[in-house]
Amino acid sequence: MPITDSFAPTADFAPVATDSLAGLPAGGVPADVLAAGGSAADNLSGFSAWTVTIMETLGPVGVGFMVFLDNIFPPIPSELVLPLAGFTSSQGQMNIVAAIVFATIGSVVGAVLLWALGKWIGIERIARIAVKMPLVDVDDVHKTVDWFDKHGDKAVFFGRMIPIFRSLISIPAGMRDMRLTKFLLLTTAGSAIWNTILIVAGFTLGENWSVVETYAGYFQNVVIVAVVVFVIVWIVFKVRKQRRKKAAGLDTTEGDHIEPGEFEV
Protein backbone atom coordinates (compact mmCIF):
# COMPACT_ATOMS: atom_id res chain seq x y z
CA MET A 1 0.00 0.00 0.00
CA PRO A 2 1.41 3.44 -0.88
CA ILE A 3 2.44 5.62 2.06
CA THR A 4 0.02 8.37 0.99
CA ASP A 5 -2.93 5.95 1.24
CA SER A 6 -2.12 5.15 4.88
CA PHE A 7 -2.70 8.81 5.81
CA ALA A 8 -5.78 9.40 3.67
CA PRO A 9 -8.73 10.70 5.74
CA THR A 10 -11.58 8.29 6.22
CA ALA A 11 -15.18 9.16 5.47
CA ASP A 12 -15.95 9.20 9.20
CA PHE A 13 -13.08 11.47 10.14
CA ALA A 14 -13.71 14.50 7.89
CA PRO A 15 -17.23 15.38 9.14
CA VAL A 16 -16.06 15.23 12.78
CA ALA A 17 -13.31 17.75 12.12
CA THR A 18 -15.76 20.02 10.33
CA ASP A 19 -18.53 19.74 12.95
CA SER A 20 -16.16 20.51 15.82
CA LEU A 21 -15.67 23.99 14.38
CA ALA A 22 -19.25 24.60 13.34
CA GLY A 23 -21.17 27.25 15.24
CA LEU A 24 -18.17 28.43 17.28
CA PRO A 25 -18.29 32.25 17.48
CA ALA A 26 -15.08 34.11 18.23
CA GLY A 27 -14.68 34.20 22.00
CA GLY A 28 -18.16 32.72 22.48
CA VAL A 29 -19.89 29.47 23.36
CA PRO A 30 -20.32 26.78 20.67
CA ALA A 31 -23.83 26.76 19.28
CA ASP A 32 -24.11 22.97 19.69
CA VAL A 33 -23.21 23.26 23.39
CA LEU A 34 -26.00 25.78 23.99
CA ALA A 35 -28.43 23.75 21.93
CA ALA A 36 -27.66 20.77 24.15
CA GLY A 37 -28.43 22.82 27.26
CA GLY A 38 -24.88 23.95 27.96
CA SER A 39 -24.04 27.05 29.97
CA ALA A 40 -23.23 30.45 28.48
CA ALA A 41 -20.47 30.61 31.10
CA ASP A 42 -18.62 27.59 29.67
CA ASN A 43 -16.11 29.69 27.71
CA LEU A 44 -15.83 32.46 30.30
CA SER A 45 -13.63 32.57 33.37
CA GLY A 46 -13.21 34.29 36.71
CA PHE A 47 -15.76 36.90 37.78
CA SER A 48 -17.50 36.85 34.38
CA ALA A 49 -18.18 33.11 34.56
CA TRP A 50 -19.37 33.41 38.17
CA THR A 51 -21.71 36.27 37.28
CA VAL A 52 -23.25 34.45 34.31
CA THR A 53 -23.68 31.30 36.41
CA ILE A 54 -25.64 33.28 39.02
CA MET A 55 -27.80 34.80 36.29
CA GLU A 56 -28.48 31.41 34.73
CA THR A 57 -29.28 29.88 38.12
CA LEU A 58 -31.47 32.66 39.52
CA GLY A 59 -32.64 34.19 36.23
CA PRO A 60 -33.52 37.91 36.26
CA VAL A 61 -33.42 37.84 40.08
CA GLY A 62 -29.71 37.07 39.76
CA VAL A 63 -29.25 40.20 37.63
CA GLY A 64 -31.01 42.28 40.26
CA PHE A 65 -28.86 40.75 43.00
CA MET A 66 -25.61 41.52 41.17
CA VAL A 67 -26.67 45.12 40.43
CA PHE A 68 -27.71 45.53 44.08
CA LEU A 69 -24.20 44.43 45.12
CA ASP A 70 -22.73 46.92 42.63
CA ASN A 71 -24.63 49.74 44.35
CA ILE A 72 -23.46 48.99 47.88
CA PHE A 73 -20.04 47.59 46.90
CA PRO A 74 -18.72 49.65 43.91
CA PRO A 75 -15.73 47.34 43.16
CA ILE A 76 -18.37 45.09 41.53
CA PRO A 77 -18.77 47.06 38.29
CA SER A 78 -22.15 47.40 36.56
CA GLU A 79 -20.14 48.06 33.38
CA LEU A 80 -19.32 44.33 33.48
CA VAL A 81 -22.49 42.92 35.07
CA LEU A 82 -25.03 44.58 32.76
CA PRO A 83 -23.46 43.63 29.39
CA LEU A 84 -23.14 40.08 30.74
CA ALA A 85 -26.87 40.13 31.49
CA GLY A 86 -27.46 41.12 27.88
CA PHE A 87 -25.12 38.39 26.67
CA THR A 88 -26.90 35.78 28.81
CA SER A 89 -30.23 36.94 27.37
CA SER A 90 -28.88 36.69 23.82
CA GLN A 91 -28.06 33.03 24.47
CA GLY A 92 -31.71 32.33 25.31
CA GLN A 93 -31.00 31.83 29.00
CA MET A 94 -33.10 34.80 30.17
CA ASN A 95 -35.73 37.29 28.98
CA ILE A 96 -34.10 40.67 28.24
CA VAL A 97 -37.08 42.75 29.45
CA ALA A 98 -37.10 40.89 32.77
CA ALA A 99 -33.33 41.43 33.03
CA ILE A 100 -33.78 45.20 32.63
CA VAL A 101 -36.65 45.33 35.14
CA PHE A 102 -34.83 43.36 37.83
CA ALA A 103 -31.57 45.25 37.23
CA THR A 104 -33.46 48.48 37.88
CA ILE A 105 -35.05 47.02 41.00
CA GLY A 106 -31.60 46.04 42.27
CA SER A 107 -30.32 49.56 41.58
CA VAL A 108 -33.20 51.19 43.44
CA VAL A 109 -33.02 48.89 46.48
CA GLY A 110 -29.27 49.50 46.86
CA ALA A 111 -29.75 53.25 46.41
CA VAL A 112 -32.51 53.40 49.04
CA LEU A 113 -30.28 51.64 51.58
CA LEU A 114 -27.56 54.26 51.01
CA TRP A 115 -30.18 57.05 51.15
CA ALA A 116 -31.30 55.70 54.55
CA LEU A 117 -27.67 55.56 55.68
CA GLY A 118 -27.18 59.20 54.72
CA LYS A 119 -30.39 60.19 56.52
CA TRP A 120 -29.28 58.33 59.66
CA ILE A 121 -25.82 59.92 59.67
CA GLY A 122 -27.16 63.42 59.05
CA ILE A 123 -25.47 66.43 57.50
CA GLU A 124 -24.48 68.04 60.80
CA ARG A 125 -22.55 65.00 61.98
CA ILE A 126 -20.63 64.83 58.71
CA ALA A 127 -20.05 68.61 58.77
CA ARG A 128 -18.51 68.42 62.25
CA ILE A 129 -16.14 65.71 61.04
CA ALA A 130 -15.34 67.58 57.81
CA VAL A 131 -14.29 70.84 59.47
CA LYS A 132 -11.76 68.94 61.57
CA MET A 133 -10.04 67.70 58.43
CA PRO A 134 -7.01 69.56 57.02
CA LEU A 135 -7.80 72.27 54.46
CA VAL A 136 -11.58 72.06 55.04
CA ASP A 137 -13.54 74.90 56.63
CA VAL A 138 -17.18 75.72 57.33
CA ASP A 139 -17.48 77.71 54.10
CA ASP A 140 -16.57 74.61 52.09
CA VAL A 141 -19.32 72.63 53.78
CA HIS A 142 -21.86 75.39 53.22
CA LYS A 143 -20.94 75.70 49.53
CA THR A 144 -21.27 71.95 49.04
CA VAL A 145 -24.65 71.85 50.79
CA ASP A 146 -25.88 74.89 48.82
CA TRP A 147 -24.78 73.26 45.57
CA PHE A 148 -26.69 70.07 46.37
CA ASP A 149 -29.77 72.04 47.40
CA LYS A 150 -29.76 73.74 43.98
CA HIS A 151 -28.74 70.81 41.77
CA GLY A 152 -29.65 67.76 43.86
CA ASP A 153 -32.41 66.54 41.52
CA LYS A 154 -30.12 66.55 38.47
CA ALA A 155 -27.25 65.11 40.52
CA VAL A 156 -29.35 62.11 41.62
CA PHE A 157 -30.75 61.50 38.11
CA PHE A 158 -27.53 61.83 36.09
CA GLY A 159 -25.40 60.42 38.90
CA ARG A 160 -26.99 57.02 38.29
CA MET A 161 -25.18 56.95 34.94
CA ILE A 162 -21.73 57.94 36.20
CA PRO A 163 -19.26 55.43 37.66
CA ILE A 164 -18.40 55.97 41.35
CA PHE A 165 -21.08 58.65 41.74
CA ARG A 166 -23.97 56.23 41.10
CA SER A 167 -23.47 54.81 44.59
CA LEU A 168 -22.19 57.87 46.44
CA ILE A 169 -24.90 60.31 45.29
CA SER A 170 -27.55 58.49 47.36
CA ILE A 171 -25.81 59.40 50.63
CA PRO A 172 -25.99 63.22 50.36
CA ALA A 173 -29.56 62.87 49.12
CA GLY A 174 -30.38 61.17 52.41
CA MET A 175 -28.36 63.69 54.41
CA ARG A 176 -30.35 66.56 52.91
CA ASP A 177 -33.55 64.63 53.58
CA MET A 178 -34.66 64.53 49.94
CA ARG A 179 -38.23 63.23 49.87
CA LEU A 180 -38.21 59.49 49.37
CA THR A 181 -40.83 59.64 46.61
CA LYS A 182 -38.75 62.12 44.61
CA PHE A 183 -35.58 60.13 45.26
CA LEU A 184 -37.26 56.92 44.09
CA LEU A 185 -38.56 58.56 40.92
CA LEU A 186 -35.22 60.11 39.94
CA THR A 187 -33.22 57.01 40.86
CA THR A 188 -35.57 54.66 38.99
CA ALA A 189 -35.52 56.83 35.85
CA GLY A 190 -31.73 57.26 35.81
CA SER A 191 -31.06 53.60 36.63
CA ALA A 192 -33.54 52.33 34.02
CA ILE A 193 -31.84 54.35 31.27
CA TRP A 194 -28.33 53.22 32.23
CA ASN A 195 -29.32 49.58 32.70
CA THR A 196 -31.22 49.46 29.42
CA ILE A 197 -28.32 50.91 27.42
CA LEU A 198 -25.75 48.42 28.72
CA ILE A 199 -28.01 45.35 28.73
CA VAL A 200 -29.29 46.00 25.19
CA ALA A 201 -25.71 46.63 24.03
CA GLY A 202 -24.60 43.30 25.54
CA PHE A 203 -27.61 41.55 23.95
CA THR A 204 -26.91 43.07 20.52
CA LEU A 205 -23.20 42.25 20.56
CA GLY A 206 -23.72 38.75 21.97
CA GLU A 207 -20.38 36.95 22.33
CA ASN A 208 -18.61 40.29 21.77
CA TRP A 209 -20.24 41.79 24.89
CA SER A 210 -16.76 42.69 26.21
CA VAL A 211 -16.68 45.59 23.72
CA VAL A 212 -19.25 47.34 25.95
CA GLU A 213 -17.13 46.72 29.03
CA THR A 214 -14.06 48.11 27.26
CA TYR A 215 -15.66 51.41 26.27
CA ALA A 216 -17.48 51.73 29.60
CA GLY A 217 -14.08 51.22 31.22
CA TYR A 218 -12.69 54.13 29.20
CA PHE A 219 -15.57 56.29 30.45
CA GLN A 220 -14.86 55.23 34.03
CA ASN A 221 -11.17 56.10 33.63
CA VAL A 222 -12.09 59.55 32.33
CA VAL A 223 -14.29 60.11 35.39
CA ILE A 224 -11.54 58.96 37.76
CA VAL A 225 -8.94 61.21 36.10
CA ALA A 226 -11.35 64.16 36.25
CA VAL A 227 -11.95 63.56 39.98
CA VAL A 228 -8.22 63.28 40.69
CA VAL A 229 -7.48 66.49 38.77
CA PHE A 230 -10.27 68.30 40.61
CA VAL A 231 -8.96 67.14 44.00
CA ILE A 232 -5.38 68.21 43.16
CA VAL A 233 -6.53 71.64 41.96
CA TRP A 234 -8.70 72.05 45.07
CA ILE A 235 -5.81 71.12 47.40
CA VAL A 236 -3.45 73.57 45.68
CA PHE A 237 -6.06 76.33 45.93
CA LYS A 238 -6.71 75.65 49.65
CA VAL A 239 -3.01 75.47 50.53
CA ARG A 240 -2.37 78.83 48.85
CA LYS A 241 -5.39 80.34 50.57
CA GLN A 242 -4.21 79.21 54.00
CA ARG A 243 -0.71 80.49 53.33
CA ARG A 244 -2.11 83.91 52.43
CA LYS A 245 -4.12 83.95 55.66
CA LYS A 246 -1.08 83.04 57.74
CA ALA A 247 1.00 85.67 55.99
CA ALA A 248 -1.69 88.22 56.90
CA GLY A 249 -1.63 87.04 60.52
CA LEU A 250 -5.17 85.59 60.42
CA ASP A 251 -6.27 82.53 62.40
CA THR A 252 -7.08 79.84 59.81
CA THR A 253 -9.12 77.83 62.34
CA GLU A 254 -11.34 80.68 63.49
CA GLY A 255 -15.03 79.96 63.13
CA ASP A 256 -14.50 76.29 62.23
CA HIS A 257 -17.39 74.93 64.28
CA ILE A 258 -20.93 73.85 63.49
CA GLU A 259 -23.91 75.26 65.34
CA PRO A 260 -26.89 72.96 66.09
CA GLY A 261 -29.50 73.28 63.36
CA GLU A 262 -27.09 75.16 61.06
CA PHE A 263 -27.94 72.97 58.08
CA GLU A 264 -31.65 72.49 58.63
CA VAL A 265 -33.58 72.22 55.37
Side-chain angles (χ1 to χ4, degrees), residues 98-110:
I100 294 171
V101 170
F102 276 87
T104 303
I105 292 173
S107 298
V108 172
V109 172

Side-chain angles (χ1 to χ4, degrees), residues 20 38 52 55 84 134 137 145 185 242:
S20 66
V52 171
M55 294 176 184
L84 277 173
D137 54 37
V145 171
L185 179 62
Q242 289 202 357

